[in-house]
């Protein structure tokens, strides 16, 4: 598949526009668990610097608007309400005109073509304090990567206002599904976080499940049934070439995840009717058994520092969540609520674990602290499962299956506060999402 290349043309700041600071608190969205009133903002158009940049300027503006409003934290003011006409990137900002329409943040930018690349410049303004927020920036990329430019602009705006890490310039690998419910055809696909730029990584000749990105986003682990039994395969995202990982004859291997440093994988292996967790060194193929319980133990996930693993096990009689050292050893149970817990995933921040919960005929996506405290259910439906974290640990994407013979799987996302539940656009039915790290 095409490997996108993005270069930072100017790490130095663009000259700020002079302004007189008013007596006002700095612009900031405090994200809490309560209802948040979206911040009104305005994008005074990304001004095309030439006729050939006009269409791309409009498209970049639309993507930035979609990124920000899609968080549920921002509300774009319609352009029909604008008073000031910003005709160039260096037009002085008339703060009173933007205050009059209650814009709290203002984005001004331009798009040009230079040396065969798209060049984007932008500034962010705090309207009520009458100040520019941070340095202006200038980015450049090939025309094919214009959406990445837009996402990077959105990331800067989002981070400066919220104080949260960025996540728009990222990708999601997932299982694309087609055909009837009792005979689904499945293949791996990868897309931008918002559903654009879908590329297929495998064909539909065999069942594929549970893809997982490496920490650097260059590799994907997944489970394949191409031999008739579940096996683990590793795929290079740039070339879509893949290879089966070593196995012990007569066993089944599945549910793999990379270690944070990318040198090892943890996975489940079924052998002689028993399923335990194992570790494999990718380069040497050397393996280490991590659990020896007669229970079924699966869905392992590393802590961000690689020191611990959370997993699901029915050693207590029902599916529950446990944490153990990454080298194996004693495991500590962390789930104690009603129902069954599965598919735990450690947050990239390290402070929370997302999971699937089944209770009283309903499925939920939830989060808890790493010691099992502060459990909170974010969703509820006929079937919600398989959470994956955004790169900044703020949003969770998951699979939602609709009931009935005609039911199908879709991807949804939700903020960790339980707000902003929404469907993610995909070409058809989709399941098993896995979020990439932030792209370089």
């Amino acid at each position: 598949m095409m490997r996108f290349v993005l270069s930072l043309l100017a790490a130095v700041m663009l000259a700020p526009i002079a302004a007189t600071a008013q007596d006002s608190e700095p612009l900031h969205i405090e994200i809490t668990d309560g209802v948040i009133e979206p911040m009104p903002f305005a994008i005074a158009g990304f001004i095309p610097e030439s006729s050939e940049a006009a269409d791309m300027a409009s498209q970049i503006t639309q993507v930035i608007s979609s990124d920000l409003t899609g968080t549920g934290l921002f509300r774009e003011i319609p352009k029909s309400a604008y008073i000031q006409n910003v005709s160039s990137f260096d037009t002085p900002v008339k703060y009173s005109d933007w205050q009059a329409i209650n814009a709290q943040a203002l984005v001004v930018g331009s798009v040009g073509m230079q040396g065969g690349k798209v060049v984007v410049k932008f500034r962010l303004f705090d309207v009520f304090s009458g100040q520019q927020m941070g340095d202006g920036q200038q980015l450049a990329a090939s025309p094919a990567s214009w959406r990445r430019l837009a996402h990077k602009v959105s990331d800067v705006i989002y981070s400066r206002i919220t104080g949260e890490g960025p996540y728009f310039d990222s990708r999601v690998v997932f299982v694309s599904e087609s055909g009837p419910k009792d005979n689904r055809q499945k293949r791996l696909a990868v897309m931008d976080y918002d559903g654009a730029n879908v590329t297929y990584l495998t064909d539909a000749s065999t069942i594929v499940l549970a893809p997982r990105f490496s920490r650097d986003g260059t590799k994907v682990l997944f489970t394949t049934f191409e031999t008739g039994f579940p096996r683990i395969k590793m795929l290079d995202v740039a070339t879509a070439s893949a290879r089966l990982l070593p196995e012990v004859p007569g066993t089944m291997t599945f549910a793999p995840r990379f270690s944070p440093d990318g040198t090892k994988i943890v996975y489940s292996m079924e052998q002689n009717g028993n399923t335990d967790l194992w570790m494999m060194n990718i380069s040497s193929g050397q393996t280490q058994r991590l659990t020896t319980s007669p229970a079924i133990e699966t869905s392992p996930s590393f802590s961000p520092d690689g020191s611990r693993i959370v997993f699901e096990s029915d050693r207590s009689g029902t599916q529950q969540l446990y944490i153990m050292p990454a080298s194996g050893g004693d495991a500590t149970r962390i789930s104690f609520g009603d129902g069954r817990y599965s598919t735990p995933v450690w947050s990239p921040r390290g402070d929370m674990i997302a999971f699937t919960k089944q209770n009283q005929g309903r499925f939920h996506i939830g989060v808890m602290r790493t010691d099992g405290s502060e459990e909170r259910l974010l969703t509820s439906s006929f079937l919600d499962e398989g959470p994956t974290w955004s790169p900044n640990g703020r949003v969770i994407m998951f699979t939602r299956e609709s009931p009935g013979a005609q039911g199908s799987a879709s991807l949804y996302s939700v903020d960790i506060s339980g707000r902003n539940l929404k469907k993610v656009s995909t070409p058809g039915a989709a399941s098993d999402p896995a979020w990439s790290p932030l792209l370089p």
Side-chain angles (χ1 to χ4, degrees), residues 1 173 187-190 199-203 220 235-237 240-241:
M1 59 175 288
V173 64
R187 54 180 174 165
L188 293 188
V190 65
T199 301
Y200 295 98
L201 302 175
T202 66
D203 59 27
V220 169
L235 178 143
D236 183 280
V237 177
S241 60

Side-chain angles (χ1 to χ4, degrees), residues 175-191:
V175 176
S176 176
E177 303 185 6
S178 60
K181 197 169 186 177
D182 60 352
N183 187 28
R184 288 277 168 83
Q185 303 296 305
K186 300 187 177 187
R187 54 180 174 165
L188 293 188
V190 65
M191 64 183 183

Side-chain angles (χ1 to χ4, degrees), residues 25-257:
E25 292 292 324
L27 186 63
H28 179 69
I29 293 179
E30 187 70 33
I31 303 176
T32 66
D33 293 342
V35 176
I36 295 174
E37 181 66 27
M39 174 183 287
F41 75 101
I43 302 180
F46 272 64
I47 311 301
E49 295 184 342
S50 64
S51 58
E52 62 179 335
D55 288 344
M56 195 160 291
S58 175
Q59 292 171 330
I60 286 173
T61 303
Q62 290 172 11
V63 170
I64 294 168
S65 172
S66 179
D67 284 342
L68 297 175
T69 58
T71 66
L73 302 174
F74 300 88
R75 174 178 60 84
E76 185 179 11
I77 295 173
K79 288 179 171 49
S80 59
Y82 292 3
I83 299 172
Q84 181 184 14
N85 177 32
V86 178
S87 57
S88 79
F89 180 66
D90 294 317
T91 298
V93 175
K94 296 180 181 178
Y95 289 101
S96 59
D97 285 355
W98 301 102
Q99 293 167 0
I101 62 173
N102 199 36
Q104 295 185 33
L106 171 67
V107 181
V108 175
S110 68
V111 178
M113 301 296 295
Q114 180 179 321
K117 291 187 175 183
V118 182
V119 179
V120 173
K121 296 183 289 187
F122 71 98
R123 294 186 177 103
L124 174 64
F125 299 92
D126 179 342
V127 171
F128 282 90
S129 72
Q131 297 182 49
Q132 182 172 317
M133 295 184 67
D135 299 336
Q137 289 195 13
Q138 180 169 292
L139 305 169
S142 67
S145 299
W146 68 268
R147 287 185 61 89
R148 284 202 59 197
L149 283 174
H151 290 320
K152 282 192 173 295
V153 173
S154 301
D155 276 332
V156 172
I157 296 168
Y158 173 86
S159 293
R160 286 183 181 175
I161 295 177
T162 67
E164 299 271 336
Y167 73 95
F168 301 122
D169 187 26
S170 60
R171 311 207 77 196
V172 174
V173 64
F174 65 101
V175 176
S176 176
E177 303 185 6
S178 60
K181 197 169 186 177
D182 60 352
N183 187 28
R184 288 277 168 83
Q185 303 296 305
K186 300 187 177 187
R187 54 180 174 165
L188 293 188
V190 65
M191 64 183 183
D192 294 354
Y193 95 99
D194 57 1
N197 290 327
V198 175
T199 301
Y200 295 98
L201 302 175
T202 66
D203 59 27
S205 60
T206 187
I207 295 173
V208 291
L209 300 170
R212 302 289 181 256
F213 269 112
S214 61
R215 188 72 167 266
D216 63 4
T218 63
K219 301 284 193 302
V220 169
L221 289 171
F222 63 99
T223 303
T224 176
F225 282 75
E226 65 186 62
T227 64
F229 296 95
R231 291 277 308 274
I232 298 171
K233 207 166 189 178
M234 187 168 64
L235 178 143
D236 183 280
V237 177
T239 64
S241 60
R243 65 179 177 90
L244 289 167
L245 295 186
E247 68 161 356
V248 177
T251 66
M252 294 186 289
T253 53
F254 51 95
R257 280 191 190 271

Side-chain angles (χ1 to χ4, degrees), residues 311-323:
F311 63 99
E312 69 173 83
S313 172
D314 63 358
R315 61 177 65 184
S316 66
T318 60
Q319 289 170 282
Q320 300 295 332
L321 306 184
Y322 295 79
I323 288 178

